[in-house]
Amino acid sequence: MRDYLKFYINGQWVDPLSPRSLDVINPATEAVAGRISIGSAADVDRAVRAARAAFATYSQTSLDERVALLEKIIEEYKKRYADMAAAVTEEMGAPAKLANDSQAAIGIGHLSTALSVLKEYKFQEARGTTTLFKEPIGVCGFITPWNWPVNQIACKVAPALAVGCTMVLKPSEIAPFSAQVWTEILDAAGVPAGVFNLVNGDGPGVGTAIASHPEVDMVSFTGSTRAGIEVARNAAPTVKRVHQELGGKSPNIILPDADFKRAVTSGVRGVMQNSGQSCNAPTRMLVPNARMAEALEYAKAAAEATTVGDPVSSGATIGPVVSAAQWDKIQTLIAKGLEEGATLVAGGPGKPEGLSTGYYVKPTILGGVNNAMTVAREEIFGPVLVIMGYDTVDEAVEIGNDTVYGLAAYVSGGDIDAARKVASRLRAGQVNINSAPTDLNAPFGGFKQSGNGREWGEDAFGEFLETKAVVGFTPRSKT
C-alpha cells in the first residue's frame, strides 16, 4: 500500500494546505493500491511561487552546471530503475516486461537525449551587428497523462531543466506512483530547491490552477483533445505559451507491394502494445481491397497471438486498461462499431475468458469499416484496430488524411521511394516508414487537433526558450 500524501514544494515534502485524499486503483486487481493527496489552487500557488523564486538563480546557471545536474539525475535514476518499472506496472497495468524495457527505459532515454543536445546547443547566435540570445521562458506548468507516465514527465522535465527553466508538475491522479519515484530521484540528485515541484490532484482543481496562474509562463499538456481545449482556454487570459500533445487516430497505409504478413502483423502489434493506450498507435489500417481477405487473416492471427493477462506474470503480452471508466468507453465503442456494420474479425465485447477481475479487454479487430463509422473517427484508446480497404494509393492517402487528428501516420511498402512519396502527402507530425524503430531525437507532436509544438530531441528545447534580439550588440565597423 503506497501512501503518497505529501507534495514536493521548494525542495521539501510538505502537507497539502487542505487535506483531501484519493484512492489509487490497481487496474489488474481492482483493489486500492495506494493513496495520494488532492491539491488545490492554494497548493499550486505555493509551488508556483517557489518556482518563480528559484528561477532567478537557476536561469543563470552555466551550461556546465546543468550538464552536471542531468548527469546526476541519470545516475540516481539508474539506482531506482526497478522501482520505477514496478510503479508503472502497479499504477496503470503495463506488463512487467513492457514496464522495464520501454516505460522505465524511455525515462533514461529522454534524460540522456537532453544531456546530449545540451552539450552542443547554441544559446547565442550573431546576425550582423545583432546577437540573438535564447533564454529560458520561465516557470513551466506540466500536466501529464497516465498511459506513458514516465515518458511524458521526462520529455517535458528533461529539456526544461536543461535550458534553465523551473517547473510545477501535476501528474495524472489515476497513475501517480511513477511521478513520486521520479520526484524522489530528482531530490536525491540535488535539484535546487524550487526548481522542480510536484502537486498531485485532478484537472479541475490543480490542472486549471496551473494553466490559469499568472506566474506560469508556459503550460505543456498531454492528454485528450477535449481537455487540451480547456487548458488553452484557461491559459488564454494570461497569454502564456501553450504546448499540447493531444489525441490521435493514426492511419497505417499498407501499400500493395509491402511484405503483407510482416506489415499487417507489425501493425496489429503496434495497436495492441500498452493495451492500445498510446496516442500515436496505428489504429486505422488501410489495405488494398484486392488483398483484404489476406490482411484480415494475418490480423486475426496476430490478435489471437496477443496474450492478455496479469501484468506481473511472465506470459502477458498486454495487461488491463487503466480504469473501469476506460474499460466502459472501449466496450461502448466496440458495440457501436458492430451496430454500425463493422465485422468482428477477432476479440469483441466483454472480458477475456478467465479474467473476470481486472479491466481486461479482448484484442479486437474490426473489419468492413469505412471512414464515416464512429470507430474510424473517435480515439478508442484500447486494443482495438479497424481495417479499411482502398482501391488506389490516392484514395488511401485521402482516407488517411480524413481525420481531425494528425499526430502520427505509418506507411509500409517494398519500394522505398513510393513509401516516401506517400509519407510526404500525409498530414501528421511524425510518419513512420516500414516499422522503423523509435528515434528519441525525432520531433514528436501533431498537426490539426493533435496539438501544437514539438517534444523530444533538439526541437523540444525551443518550447522552453524565448528569443531575445540585442541590436547593436556588435558595433558597426567605422571603416
Side-chain angles (χ1 to χ4, degrees), residues 25-48:
I25 305 300
N26 182 326
T29 65
E30 302 184 38
V32 175
R35 294 183 303 157
I36 58 168
S37 289
I38 296 296
S40 64
D43 295 303
V44 170
D45 184 65
R46 183 167 50 158
V48 170

Side-chain angles (χ1 to χ4, degrees), residues 392-410:
T392 67
V393 172
D394 286 346
E395 183 187 6
V397 171
E398 182 180 355
I399 294 170
N401 286 333
D402 181 16
T403 172
V404 299
Y405 298 113
L407 184 58
Y410 300 78

Side-chain angles (χ1 to χ4, degrees), residues 275-344:
S275 298
Q277 299 170 131
S278 298
C279 49
N280 62 336
T283 49
R284 289 186 298 146
M285 183 180 289
L286 289 98
V287 302
N289 279 317
R291 303 188 69 176
M292 179 61 74
E294 181 184 359
L296 295 177
E297 181 182 341
Y298 291 139
K300 177 180 173 65
E304 290 177 348
T306 303
T307 304
V308 187
D310 186 341
V312 300
S313 69
S314 60
T317 308
I318 64 174
V321 296
V322 76
S323 67
Q326 189 65 18
W327 191 90
D328 289 341
K329 174 192 172 185
I330 295 165
Q331 298 303 311
T332 298
L333 285 168
I334 291 173
K336 186 70 171 177
L338 297 175
E339 177 188 323
E340 291 182 353
T343 302
L344 186 62

Side-chain angles (χ1 to χ4, degrees), residues 108-400:
I108 282 189
H110 285 305
L111 287 164
S112 299
T113 300
L115 175 61
S116 178
V117 171
L118 177 60
K119 290 177 178 178
E120 304 296 329
Y121 198 80
K122 303 302 181 186
F123 289 92
Q124 183 174 330
E125 175 190 352
R127 292 188 184 174
T129 62
T130 296
T131 296
L132 303 182
F133 294 88
K134 295 182 179 179
E135 301 180 350
I137 193 170
V139 176
C140 303
F142 297 147
I143 304 170
T144 58
W146 47 260
N147 58 320
W148 284 87
V150 190
N151 172 68
Q152 290 306 137
I153 292 171
C155 73
K156 299 179 193 300
V157 172
L161 284 175
V163 304
C165 291
T166 59
M167 63 214 70
V168 178
L169 168 68
K170 186 206 91 67
S172 168
E173 69 275 23
I174 296 173
F177 296 161
S178 53
Q180 177 82 14
V181 177
W182 172 272
T183 304
E184 291 169 358
I185 289 167
L186 267 58
D187 182 61
V191 173
V195 170
F196 174 87
N197 303 272
L198 168 75
V199 178
N200 281 311
D202 56 19
V206 174
T208 297
I210 288 174
S212 61
H213 200 291
E215 289 294 321
V216 170
D217 298 294
M218 75 90 71
V219 59
S220 180
F221 170 82
T222 299
S224 71
T225 298
R226 176 195 56 76
I229 291 169
E230 289 303 309
V231 168
R233 183 178 286 120
N234 290 323
T238 51
V239 199
K240 57 172 57 72
R241 184 180 299 173
V242 178
H243 167 267
Q244 298 171 316
E245 195 265 280
L246 307 175
K249 194 69 179 178
S250 303
N252 180 11
I253 298 176
I254 300 179
L255 297 174
D257 67 340
D259 178 337
F260 244 62
K261 182 176 182 179
R262 178 180 181 276
V264 172
T265 300
S266 177
V268 173
R269 289 173 178 167
V271 172
M272 300 307 162
Q273 184 193 46
N274 206 41
S275 298
Q277 299 170 131
S278 298
C279 49
N280 62 336
T283 49
R284 289 186 298 146
M285 183 180 289
L286 289 98
V287 302
N289 279 317
R291 303 188 69 176
M292 179 61 74
E294 181 184 359
L296 295 177
E297 181 182 341
Y298 291 139
K300 177 180 173 65
E304 290 177 348
T306 303
T307 304
V308 187
D310 186 341
V312 300
S313 69
S314 60
T317 308
I318 64 174
V321 296
V322 76
S323 67
Q326 189 65 18
W327 191 90
D328 289 341
K329 174 192 172 185
I330 295 165
Q331 298 303 311
T332 298
L333 285 168
I334 291 173
K336 186 70 171 177
L338 297 175
E339 177 188 323
E340 291 182 353
T343 302
L344 186 62
V345 177
K351 294 184 178 182
E353 186 176 352
L355 293 171
S356 58
T357 300
Y359 308 125
Y360 295 99
V361 177
K362 297 174 185 177
T364 297
I365 309 290
L366 297 176
V369 174
N370 65 63
N371 215 37
M373 290 182 179
T374 303
V375 290
R377 310 302 297 180
E378 294 189 15
E379 188 176 34
I380 300 173
F381 229 60
V384 181
L385 168 67
V386 302
I387 300 182
M388 298 180 284
Y390 67 86
D391 292 318
T392 67
V393 172
D394 286 346
E395 183 187 6
V397 171
E398 182 180 355
I399 294 170

